[in-house]
Amino acid sequence: MTATAQPLPGAQSHQALIGRQPIFDANQQVVAYELLFRSSQQNAAQVLDEDQATGDVLANAFVEIGLEGLVGSKLAFINLTRRFIENEELIPDAPDRLVLEILETIVPDATLIQRVASLADRGFTIALDDWEDGSNLAPLLPMADIVKVELPAFTPEQLPEHVRALKQHGVKLLAEKLETGEEFKLCSELGFDYFQGYFLSRPEIVAGKKIEPSQLAALRILSIASHPDVTLAKLEEIVNTDPALSYKFLRFINSIHLGLRYKVSSIKQAISMLGINGVRRIVSLLTVAGMCEDKPSELMRMALIRGQMAMALAEKLNHAESAAFFTAGLISLMDAILDAPLGDVLKELPLENWVKDGIQNGTGTLGTVLTGIKCYEDGKLDQVAVPGLDASDINEAYWASVRAADELDSISG
């Protein structure tokens, strides 16, 4: 079941903007999301009151947005402070949906250990956060189901010994702050069960690797579709001459227009309904989806969310070329999708210079928007700065993009 998240209604001073970060299994499939506090005023996770932050996340997850809207059928990891552990009535009674993360700053005493044991007895999954050598949380290991290992706290040489020691407690291990494919490979070999970080968007580039002919063909379709002077006739020709793209295109249009009284049965009919910008976006989306077939599904979702969010922010800024922002968002992840340097990918695309410079060098309004989106994805919210937009604009665009990705995820594959 996919999520159908809604943006928060207005950024009030007392509200937290909730964020999420995916947690993967060894097959790089999303199994859960960690729900994160985000400040509505500075658009940064400046947590002055951790109790209030936890309360805001829980309130938004169960009241304002709804857990189904945030994580679908997957689990939700929630950070807990001492106050929430000691007052169990503050925690929603959803042990089948929540993983309770015990913050690394907590120093357990007898009372807290008893409370954690009580939560475990109620069926909650208990996770110990930011584990490192000498962690405060060692007394809670007997009650823990998951230990989140702070990867930067250990060298590759130290890690195997700590993994062996933790495994003796019968816990599952989650590698957090995972940044590269090499780290993912190491942790997989060591027997980690779950993975959290931004490694999916970091390409594993092989020196001298060339872009495959099929990938070049897809890039040419992408470049034609994104060209500002492309005509509907040319787009129709592209779709009609590619049987797989034609099939997906018709499947797509019939899926998103469920309210129609009749089925769209021809490419020409579909194109006449969508208009040129709609067709450009769909052709670009389906082309990129085809290029992601051997990649983790979350990478395609990430590209789609980035494209949708870039376009939404461009529209908020009243930019005349907002459709180009969608394509630019997709293309900005091509290095990870193709495992090739982004510069090499851009050489194959006859894009306008302002688009290329925005993607590769971060220049102009496009570059500012893409840089802001990347900071938002990485949780570096104090670095999100798009002149003319405030925190509520960014938050609204993000959740609208998540919603669009959820709607399209089952169609484009």
Side-chain angles (χ1 to χ4, degrees):
M1 184 182 299
T2 56
T4 53
Q6 302 291 330
L8 292 178
Q12 304 298 323
S13 60
H14 65 280
Q15 286 183 326
L17 305 183
I18 196 168
R20 67 179 192 178
Q21 187 180 16
I23 294 171
F24 303 87
D25 63 14
N27 296 317
Q28 298 188 28
Q29 298 300 308
V30 176
V31 294
Y33 290 97
E34 180 175 358
L35 302 184
L36 305 167
F37 171 82
R38 285 176 173 169
S39 165
S40 61
Q41 293 305 299
Q42 293 79 26
N43 198 29
Q46 297 177 348
V47 182
L48 302 180
D49 185 332
E50 289 185 338
D51 289 334
Q52 183 64 49
T54 295
D56 283 343
V57 169
L58 287 171
N60 285 324
F62 283 88
V63 180
E64 293 286 348
I65 300 176
L67 199 61
E68 181 73 15
L70 283 168
V71 302
S73 61
K74 297 177 174 62
L75 292 171
F77 280 59
I78 303 280
N79 290 324
L80 286 192
T81 62
R82 176 181 288 272
R83 179 188 176 196
F84 279 82
I85 296 170
E86 294 179 343
N87 296 271
E88 292 185 37
E89 67 276 7
L90 298 176
I91 302 172
D93 189 24
D96 58 329
R97 304 304 314 281
L98 295 180
V99 177
L100 305 181
E101 284 194 43
I102 313 300
L103 291 173
E104 74 283 0
T105 53
I106 292 174
V107 179
D109 54 24
T111 299
L112 186 128
I113 291 172
Q114 183 180 21
R115 296 294 187 185
V116 173
S118 175
L119 288 168
D121 289 341
R122 286 174 55 191
F124 283 103
T125 299
I126 305 297
L128 306 184
D129 196 19
D130 289 347
W131 184 274
E132 56 185 29
D133 195 19
S135 172
N136 293 331
L137 303 179
L140 298 177
L141 277 171
M143 283 78 72
D145 302 287
I146 299 170
V147 174
K148 300 184 70 175
V149 177
E150 179 91 348
L151 211 58
F154 302 99
T155 66
E157 293 74 27
Q158 295 170 328
L159 200 55
E161 178 185 347
H162 287 276
V163 168
R164 283 193 295 271
L166 287 169
K167 285 283 189 179
Q168 291 176 2
H169 293 274
V171 295
K172 293 188 175 181
L173 299 183
L174 187 157
E176 62 177 345
K177 298 184 180 176
L178 201 61
E179 294 293 327
T180 68
E182 289 77 13
E183 290 176 341
F184 174 79
K185 181 179 179 182
L186 171 63
C187 290
S188 296
E189 292 173 348
L190 290 176
F192 277 79
D193 303 279
Y194 306 116
F195 308 85
Q196 185 176 8
Y198 300 99
F199 69 96
L200 276 180
S201 61
R202 306 296 176 89
E204 185 178 343
I205 297 173
V206 180
K209 179 181 177 180
K210 295 182 179 180
I211 301 175
E212 297 295 329
S214 60
Q215 296 171 332
L216 285 173
L219 285 174
R220 292 190 184 105
I221 291 176
L222 193 60
S223 65
I224 294 171
S226 63
H227 197 280
D229 297 327
V230 70
T231 63
L232 280 173
K234 184 61 178 178
L235 289 170
E236 183 180 358
E237 177 188 338
I238 291 172
V239 177
N240 276 325
T241 54
D242 186 325
L245 183 59
S246 178
Y247 166 76
K248 290 181 180 180
F249 191 90
L250 284 174
R251 182 181 173 207
F252 180 95
I253 190 65
N254 281 303
S255 296
I256 63 173
H257 288 283
L258 296 176
L260 290 180
R261 298 177 181 175
Y262 52 88
K263 184 176 181 180
V264 177
S265 56
S266 71
I267 301 299
K268 183 180 290 292
Q269 182 186 12
I271 286 176
S272 67
M273 292 172 55
L274 292 169
I276 192 162
N277 283 336
V279 175
R280 286 168 65 179
R281 288 197 296 272
I282 293 171
V283 169
S284 298
L285 163 67
L286 296 179
T287 301
V288 173
M291 300 167 80
C292 285
E293 287 180 349
D294 61 343
K295 291 286 184 176
S297 59
E298 190 67 14
L299 183 58
M300 177 58 204
R301 284 177 50 79
M302 188 175 177
L304 178 55
I305 290 171
R306 188 179 287 186
Q308 290 283 149
M309 190 172 178
M311 183 176 66
L313 294 179
E315 289 172 348
K316 287 179 180 291
L317 292 169
N318 296 315
H319 197 283
E321 295 288 344
S322 60
F325 281 62
F326 175 82
T327 305
L330 296 177
I331 292 172
S332 68
L333 274 167
M334 276 294 155
D335 54 345
I337 292 170
L338 299 180
D339 290 328
L342 190 57
D344 290 354
V345 175
L346 290 174
K347 287 177 184 177
E348 302 295 336
L349 295 169
L351 301 170
E352 294 181 89
N353 288 334
W354 70 270
V355 177
K356 286 188 176 182
D357 288 341
I359 295 171
Q360 190 165 24
N361 304 319
T363 59
T365 302
L366 174 60
T368 300
V369 166
L370 290 177
T371 300
I373 292 172
K374 292 172 187 176
C375 290
Y376 193 95
E377 292 169 347
D378 289 349
K380 300 173 182 176
L381 303 173
D382 56 328
Q383 299 177 32
V384 178
V386 181
L389 302 178
D390 60 23
S392 62
D393 292 321
I394 305 293
N395 184 67
E396 182 182 1
Y398 175 75
W399 285 110
S401 302
V402 169
R403 186 166 63 249
D406 291 337
E407 293 171 352
L408 301 178
D409 193 37
S410 62
I411 303 168
S412 59

PDB file of all heavy atoms in Angstrom, residues 212-241:
ATOM      1  N   GLU A 212      25.541   2.933 -21.940  1.00  0.00           N
ATOM      2  CA  GLU A 212      25.111   1.894 -22.873  1.00  0.00           C
ATOM      3  C   GLU A 212      24.251   2.487 -23.995  1.00  0.00           C
ATOM      4  O   GLU A 212      23.586   3.518 -23.811  1.00  0.00           O
ATOM      5  CB  GLU A 212      24.306   0.822 -22.130  1.00  0.00           C
ATOM      6  CG  GLU A 212      25.095   0.079 -21.066  1.00  0.00           C
ATOM      7  CD  GLU A 212      26.222  -0.749 -21.655  1.00  0.00           C
ATOM      8  OE1 GLU A 212      26.064  -1.225 -22.792  1.00  0.00           O
ATOM      9  OE2 GLU A 212      27.252  -0.909 -20.981  1.00  0.00           O
ATOM     10  N   PRO A 213      24.250   1.813 -25.182  1.00  0.00           N
ATOM     11  CA  PRO A 213      23.439   2.317 -26.300  1.00  0.00           C
ATOM     12  C   PRO A 213      21.965   2.493 -25.941  1.00  0.00           C
ATOM     13  O   PRO A 213      21.338   3.466 -26.352  1.00  0.00           O
ATOM     14  CB  PRO A 213      23.626   1.231 -27.368  1.00  0.00           C
ATOM     15  CG  PRO A 213      24.965   0.650 -27.070  1.00  0.00           C
ATOM     16  CD  PRO A 213      25.094   0.671 -25.570  1.00  0.00           C
ATOM     17  N   SER A 214      21.405   1.537 -25.178  1.00  0.00           N
ATOM     18  CA  SER A 214      19.997   1.660 -24.799  1.00  0.00           C
ATOM     19  C   SER A 214      19.786   2.874 -23.895  1.00  0.00           C
ATOM     20  O   SER A 214      18.740   3.540 -23.954  1.00  0.00           O
ATOM     21  CB  SER A 214      19.535   0.392 -24.083  1.00  0.00           C
ATOM     22  OG  SER A 214      20.299   0.166 -22.911  1.00  0.00           O
ATOM     23  N   GLN A 215      20.774   3.153 -23.056  1.00  0.00           N
ATOM     24  CA  GLN A 215      20.685   4.322 -22.194  1.00  0.00           C
ATOM     25  C   GLN A 215      20.821   5.609 -23.009  1.00  0.00           C
ATOM     26  O   GLN A 215      20.147   6.606 -22.727  1.00  0.00           O
ATOM     27  CB  GLN A 215      21.763   4.254 -21.113  1.00  0.00           C
ATOM     28  CG  GLN A 215      21.593   3.078 -20.151  1.00  0.00           C
ATOM     29  CD  GLN A 215      22.767   2.902 -19.222  1.00  0.00           C
ATOM     30  OE1 GLN A 215      23.889   3.261 -19.555  1.00  0.00           O
ATOM     31  NE2 GLN A 215      22.520   2.329 -18.048  1.00  0.00           N
ATOM     32  N   LEU A 216      21.685   5.575 -24.013  1.00  0.00           N
ATOM     33  CA  LEU A 216      21.818   6.745 -24.887  1.00  0.00           C
ATOM     34  C   LEU A 216      20.518   7.030 -25.617  1.00  0.00           C
ATOM     35  O   LEU A 216      20.114   8.190 -25.769  1.00  0.00           O
ATOM     36  CB  LEU A 216      22.946   6.513 -25.905  1.00  0.00           C
ATOM     37  CG  LEU A 216      24.379   6.621 -25.382  1.00  0.00           C
ATOM     38  CD1 LEU A 216      25.371   6.200 -26.457  1.00  0.00           C
ATOM     39  CD2 LEU A 216      24.676   8.050 -24.934  1.00  0.00           C
ATOM     40  N   ALA A 217      19.856   5.958 -26.071  1.00  0.00           N
ATOM     41  CA  ALA A 217      18.568   6.134 -26.758  1.00  0.00           C
ATOM     42  C   ALA A 217      17.551   6.760 -25.817  1.00  0.00           C
ATOM     43  O   ALA A 217      16.791   7.660 -26.216  1.00  0.00           O
ATOM     44  CB  ALA A 217      18.066   4.787 -27.274  1.00  0.00           C
ATOM     45  N   ALA A 218      17.546   6.314 -24.576  1.00  0.00           N
ATOM     46  CA  ALA A 218      16.622   6.880 -23.597  1.00  0.00           C
ATOM     47  C   ALA A 218      16.951   8.345 -23.316  1.00  0.00           C
ATOM     48  O   ALA A 218      16.054   9.189 -23.178  1.00  0.00           O
ATOM     49  CB  ALA A 218      16.667   6.066 -22.306  1.00  0.00           C
ATOM     50  N   LEU A 219      18.245   8.655 -23.241  1.00  0.00           N
ATOM     51  CA  LEU A 219      18.649  10.047 -23.011  1.00  0.00           C
ATOM     52  C   LEU A 219      18.234  10.944 -24.175  1.00  0.00           C
ATOM     53  O   LEU A 219      17.844  12.102 -23.980  1.00  0.00           O
ATOM     54  CB  LEU A 219      20.164  10.130 -22.806  1.00  0.00           C
ATOM     55  CG  LEU A 219      20.701   9.641 -21.461  1.00  0.00           C
ATOM     56  CD1 LEU A 219      22.224   9.643 -21.460  1.00  0.00           C
ATOM     57  CD2 LEU A 219      20.178  10.515 -20.319  1.00  0.00           C
ATOM     58  N   ARG A 220      18.279  10.408 -25.388  1.00  0.00           N
ATOM     59  CA  ARG A 220      17.861  11.206 -26.553  1.00  0.00           C
ATOM     60  C   ARG A 220      16.366  11.487 -26.495  1.00  0.00           C
ATOM     61  O   ARG A 220      15.916  12.588 -26.824  1.00  0.00           O
ATOM     62  CB  ARG A 220      18.239  10.478 -27.841  1.00  0.00           C
ATOM     63  CG  ARG A 220      19.756  10.411 -28.056  1.00  0.00           C
ATOM     64  CD  ARG A 220      20.132   9.901 -29.437  1.00  0.00           C
ATOM     65  NE  ARG A 220      21.573   9.759 -29.550  1.00  0.00           N
ATOM     66  CZ  ARG A 220      22.226   8.607 -29.527  1.00  0.00           C
ATOM     67  NH1 ARG A 220      21.546   7.466 -29.397  1.00  0.00           N
ATOM     68  NH2 ARG A 220      23.538   8.567 -29.630  1.00  0.00           N
ATOM     69  N   ILE A 221      15.589  10.483 -26.074  1.00  0.00           N
ATOM     70  CA  ILE A 221      14.147  10.708 -25.900  1.00  0.00           C
ATOM     71  C   ILE A 221      13.921  11.776 -24.844  1.00  0.00           C
ATOM     72  O   ILE A 221      13.106  12.689 -25.012  1.00  0.00           O
ATOM     73  CB  ILE A 221      13.442   9.395 -25.500  1.00  0.00           C
ATOM     74  CG1 ILE A 221      13.442   8.410 -26.675  1.00  0.00           C
ATOM     75  CG2 ILE A 221      12.007   9.676 -25.043  1.00  0.00           C
ATOM     76  CD1 ILE A 221      12.856   7.059 -26.330  1.00  0.00           C
ATOM     77  N   LEU A 222      14.675  11.677 -23.756  1.00  0.00           N
ATOM     78  CA  LEU A 222      14.549  12.648 -22.675  1.00  0.00           C
ATOM     79  C   LEU A 222      14.905  14.050 -23.160  1.00  0.00           C
ATOM     80  O   LEU A 222      14.225  15.035 -22.825  1.00  0.00           O
ATOM     81  CB  LEU A 222      15.462  12.236 -21.515  1.00  0.00           C
ATOM     82  CG  LEU A 222      15.253  12.930 -20.174  1.00  0.00           C
ATOM     83  CD1 LEU A 222      13.839  12.701 -19.645  1.00  0.00           C
ATOM     84  CD2 LEU A 222      16.273  12.430 -19.159  1.00  0.00           C
ATOM     85  N   SER A 223      15.946  14.154 -23.976  1.00  0.00           N
ATOM     86  CA  SER A 223      16.362  15.470 -24.456  1.00  0.00           C
ATOM     87  C   SER A 223      15.338  16.068 -25.411  1.00  0.00           C
ATOM     88  O   SER A 223      15.052  17.266 -25.368  1.00  0.00           O
ATOM     89  CB  SER A 223      17.732  15.379 -25.140  1.00  0.00           C
ATOM     90  OG  SER A 223      17.655  14.587 -26.317  1.00  0.00           O
ATOM     91  N   ILE A 224      14.753  15.228 -26.267  1.00  0.00           N
ATOM     92  CA  ILE A 224      13.731  15.729 -27.198  1.00  0.00           C
ATOM     93  C   ILE A 224      12.499  16.174 -26.429  1.00  0.00           C
ATOM     94  O   ILE A 224      11.938  17.245 -26.687  1.00  0.00           O
ATOM     95  CB  ILE A 224      13.361  14.633 -28.223  1.00  0.00           C
ATOM     96  CG1 ILE A 224      14.554  14.323 -29.126  1.00  0.00           C
ATOM     97  CG2 ILE A 224      12.159  15.077 -29.063  1.00  0.00           C
ATOM     98  CD1 ILE A 224      14.342  13.109 -30.017  1.00  0.00           C
ATOM     99  N   ALA A 225      12.076  15.360 -25.461  1.00  0.00           N
ATOM    100  CA  ALA A 225      10.882  15.688 -24.695  1.00  0.00           C
ATOM    101  C   ALA A 225      11.053  16.966 -23.894  1.00  0.00           C
ATOM    102  O   ALA A 225      10.091  17.712 -23.673  1.00  0.00           O
ATOM    103  CB  ALA A 225      10.526  14.536 -23.763  1.00  0.00           C
ATOM    104  N   SER A 226      12.272  17.238 -23.431  1.00  0.00           N
ATOM    105  CA  SER A 226      12.506  18.409 -22.589  1.00  0.00           C
ATOM    106  C   SER A 226      12.817  19.674 -23.375  1.00  0.00           C
ATOM    107  O   SER A 226      12.876  20.760 -22.798  1.00  0.00           O
ATOM    108  CB  SER A 226      13.664  18.118 -21.626  1.00  0.00           C
ATOM    109  OG  SER A 226      14.863  17.891 -22.336  1.00  0.00           O
ATOM    110  N   HIS A 227      12.987  19.548 -24.688  1.00  0.00           N
ATOM    111  CA  HIS A 227      13.331  20.729 -25.484  1.00  0.00           C
ATOM    112  C   HIS A 227      12.161  21.709 -25.507  1.00  0.00           C
ATOM    113  O   HIS A 227      11.005  21.311 -25.716  1.00  0.00           O
ATOM    114  CB  HIS A 227      13.694  20.315 -26.915  1.00  0.00           C
ATOM    115  CG  HIS A 227      14.422  21.379 -27.668  1.00  0.00           C
ATOM    116  ND1 HIS A 227      13.781  22.442 -28.249  1.00  0.00           N
ATOM    117  CD2 HIS A 227      15.748  21.565 -27.887  1.00  0.00           C
ATOM    118  CE1 HIS A 227      14.676  23.230 -28.831  1.00  0.00           C
ATOM    119  NE2 HIS A 227      15.883  22.720 -28.617  1.00  0.00           N
ATOM    120  N   PRO A 228      12.423  23.003 -25.300  1.00  0.00           N
ATOM    121  CA  PRO A 228      11.316  23.978 -25.222  1.00  0.00           C
ATOM    122  C   PRO A 228      10.509  24.117 -26.506  1.00  0.00           C
ATOM    123  O   PRO A 228       9.349  24.524 -26.469  1.00  0.00           O
ATOM    124  CB  PRO A 228      12.021  25.289 -24.870  1.00  0.00           C
ATOM    125  CG  PRO A 228      13.451  25.087 -25.269  1.00  0.00           C
ATOM    126  CD  PRO A 228      13.733  23.636 -25.070  1.00  0.00           C
ATOM    127  N   ASP A 229      11.108  23.743 -27.642  1.00  0.00           N
ATOM    128  CA  ASP A 229      10.419  23.906 -28.923  1.00  0.00           C
ATOM    129  C   ASP A 229       9.776  22.613 -29.431  1.00  0.00           C
ATOM    130  O   ASP A 229       9.300  22.562 -30.570  1.00  0.00           O
ATOM    131  CB  ASP A 229      11.406  24.423 -29.989  1.00  0.00           C
ATOM    132  CG  ASP A 229      11.948  25.804 -29.651  1.00  0.00           C
ATOM    133  OD1 ASP A 229      11.181  26.594 -29.041  1.00  0.00           O
ATOM    134  OD2 ASP A 229      13.105  26.089 -29.968  1.00  0.00           O
ATOM    135  N   VAL A 230       9.748  21.586 -28.605  1.00  0.00           N
ATOM    136  CA  VAL A 230       9.171  20.324 -29.050  1.00  0.00           C
ATOM    137  C   VAL A 230       7.676  20.507 -29.324  1.00  0.00           C
ATOM    138  O   VAL A 230       6.993  21.264 -28.633  1.00  0.00           O
ATOM    139  CB  VAL A 230       9.399  19.215 -28.009  1.00  0.00           C
ATOM    140  CG1 VAL A 230       8.581  19.432 -26.764  1.00  0.00           C
ATOM    141  CG2 VAL A 230       9.096  17.836 -28.606  1.00  0.00           C
ATOM    142  N   THR A 231       7.190  19.817 -30.343  1.00  0.00           N
ATOM    143  CA  THR A 231       5.775  19.916 -30.707  1.00  0.00           C
ATOM    144  C   THR A 231       5.023  18.673 -30.250  1.00  0.00           C
ATOM    145  O   THR A 231       5.621  17.616 -29.986  1.00  0.00           O
ATOM    146  CB  THR A 231       5.624  20.048 -32.226  1.00  0.00           C
ATOM    147  OG1 THR A 231       6.128  18.855 -32.848  1.00  0.00           O
ATOM    148  CG2 THR A 231       6.384  21.264 -32.742  1.00  0.00           C
ATOM    149  N   LEU A 232       3.701  18.796 -30.190  1.00  0.00           N
ATOM    150  CA  LEU A 232       2.876  17.633 -29.853  1.00  0.00           C
ATOM    151  C   LEU A 232       3.043  16.534 -30.891  1.00  0.00           C
ATOM    152  O   LEU A 232       3.039  15.345 -30.562  1.00  0.00           O
ATOM    153  CB  LEU A 232       1.413  18.039 -29.734  1.00  0.00           C
ATOM    154  CG  LEU A 232       1.001  18.699 -28.412  1.00  0.00           C
ATOM    155  CD1 LEU A 232      -0.435  19.207 -28.496  1.00  0.00           C
ATOM    156  CD2 LEU A 232       1.129  17.705 -27.257  1.00  0.00           C
ATOM    157  N   ALA A 233       3.194  16.928 -32.141  1.00  0.00           N
ATOM    158  CA  ALA A 233       3.367  15.933 -33.201  1.00  0.00           C
ATOM    159  C   ALA A 233       4.640  15.127 -32.987  1.00  0.00           C
ATOM    160  O   ALA A 233       4.659  13.902 -33.182  1.00  0.00           O
ATOM    161  CB  ALA A 233       3.401  16.634 -34.560  1.00  0.00           C
ATOM    162  N   LYS A 234       5.715  15.812 -32.582  1.00  0.00           N
ATOM    163  CA  LYS A 234       6.973  15.115 -32.348  1.00  0.00           C
ATOM    164  C   LYS A 234       6.858  14.178 -31.145  1.00  0.00           C
ATOM    165  O   LYS A 234       7.354  13.037 -31.180  1.00  0.00           O
ATOM    166  CB  LYS A 234       8.095  16.130 -32.114  1.00  0.00           C
ATOM    167  CG  LYS A 234       9.480  15.497 -31.960  1.00  0.00           C
ATOM    168  CD  LYS A 234       9.893  14.737 -33.211  1.00  0.00           C
ATOM    169  CE  LYS A 234      11.276  14.153 -33.092  1.00  0.00           C
ATOM    170  NZ  LYS A 234      11.664  13.363 -34.302  1.00  0.00           N
ATOM    171  N   LEU A 235       6.196  14.635 -30.093  1.00  0.00           N
ATOM    172  CA  LEU A 235       5.997  13.786 -28.920  1.00  0.00           C
ATOM    173  C   LEU A 235       5.156  12.560 -29.264  1.00  0.00           C
ATOM    174  O   LEU A 235       5.420  11.453 -28.792  1.00  0.00           O
ATOM    175  CB  LEU A 235       5.343  14.588 -27.795  1.00  0.00           C
ATOM    176  CG  LEU A 235       6.227  15.646 -27.132  1.00  0.00           C
ATOM    177  CD1 LEU A 235       5.389  16.525 -26.217  1.00  0.00           C
ATOM    178  CD2 LEU A 235       7.357  14.989 -26.339  1.00  0.00           C
ATOM    179  N   GLU A 236       4.135  12.760 -30.089  1.00  0.00           N
ATOM    180  CA  GLU A 236       3.309  11.629 -30.518  1.00  0.00           C
ATOM    181  C   GLU A 236       4.138  10.624 -31.307  1.00  0.00           C
ATOM    182  O   GLU A 236       4.001   9.402 -31.132  1.00  0.00           O
ATOM    183  CB  GLU A 236       2.143  12.124 -31.376  1.00  0.00           C
ATOM    184  CG  GLU A 236       1.200  11.014 -31.802  1.00  0.00           C
ATOM    185  CD  GLU A 236       0.045  11.533 -32.653  1.00  0.00           C
ATOM    186  OE1 GLU A 236      -0.039  12.750 -32.880  1.00  0.00           O
ATOM    187  OE2 GLU A 236      -0.769  10.699 -33.084  1.00  0.00           O
ATOM    188  N   GLU A 237       5.035  11.128 -32.138  1.00  0.00           N
ATOM    189  CA  GLU A 237       5.907  10.250 -32.921  1.00  0.00           C
ATOM    190  C   GLU A 237       6.818   9.433 -32.002  1.00  0.00           C
ATOM    191  O   GLU A 237       7.008   8.223 -32.198  1.00  0.00           O
ATOM    192  CB  GLU A 237       6.756  11.090 -33.879  1.00  0.00           C
ATOM    193  CG  GLU A 237       7.751  10.284 -34.703  1.00  0.00           C
ATOM    194  CD  GLU A 237       8.689  11.185 -35.497  1.00  0.00           C
ATOM    195  OE1 GLU A 237       8.329  12.355 -35.751  1.00  0.00           O
ATOM    196  OE2 GLU A 237       9.794  10.721 -35.833  1.00  0.00           O
ATOM    197  N   ILE A 238       7.373  10.087 -30.969  1.00  0.00           N
ATOM    198  CA  ILE A 238       8.255   9.394 -30.024  1.00  0.00           C
ATOM    199  C   ILE A 238       7.517   8.247 -29.351  1.00  0.00           C
ATOM    200  O   ILE A 238       8.017   7.118 -29.264  1.00  0.00           O
ATOM    201  CB  ILE A 238       8.776  10.381 -28.955  1.00  0.00           C
ATOM    202  CG1 ILE A 238       9.749  11.382 -29.573  1.00  0.00           C
ATOM    203  CG2 ILE A 238       9.449   9.630 -27.810  1.00  0.00           C
ATOM    204  CD1 ILE A 238      10.151  12.485 -28.615  1.00  0.00           C
ATOM    205  N   VAL A 239       6.323   8.531 -28.862  1.00  0.00           N
ATOM    206  CA  VAL A 239       5.560   7.518 -28.138  1.00  0.00           C
ATOM    207  C   VAL A 239       5.137   6.388 -29.065  1.00  0.00           C
ATOM    208  O   VAL A 239       5.243   5.201 -28.728  1.00  0.00           O
ATOM    209  CB  VAL A 239       4.332   8.153 -27.449  1.00  0.00           C
ATOM    210  CG1 VAL A 239       3.504   7.084 -26.748  1.00  0.00           C
ATOM    211  CG2 VAL A 239       4.776   9.208 -26.440  1.00  0.00           C
ATOM    212  N   ASN A 240       4.662   6.732 -30.240  1.00  0.00           N
ATOM    213  CA  ASN A 240       4.145   5.720 -31.170  1.00  0.00           C
ATOM    214  C   ASN A 240       5.226   4.780 -31.683  1.00  0.00           C
ATOM    215  O   ASN A 240       4.943   3.617 -32.022  1.00  0.00           O
ATOM    216  CB  ASN A 240       3.454   6.395 -32.354  1.00  0.00           C
ATOM    217  CG  ASN A 240       2.015   6.758 -32.039  1.00  0.00           C
ATOM    218  OD1 ASN A 240       1.325   6.036 -31.323  1.00  0.00           O
ATOM    219  ND2 ASN A 240       1.557   7.887 -32.563  1.00  0.00           N
ATOM    220  N   THR A 241       6.469   5.257 -31.766  1.00  0.00           N
ATOM    221  CA  THR A 241       7.541   4.426 -32.331  1.00  0.00           C
ATOM    222  C   THR A 241       8.250   3.577 -31.275  1.00  0.00           C
ATOM    223  O   THR A 241       9.166   2.831 -31.603  1.00  0.00           O
ATOM    224  CB  THR A 241       8.587   5.305 -33.047  1.00  0.00           C
ATOM    225  OG1 THR A 241       9.059   6.315 -32.145  1.00  0.00           O
ATOM    226  CG2 THR A 241       7.976   5.962 -34.278  1.00  0.00           C
TER     227      THR A 241
END
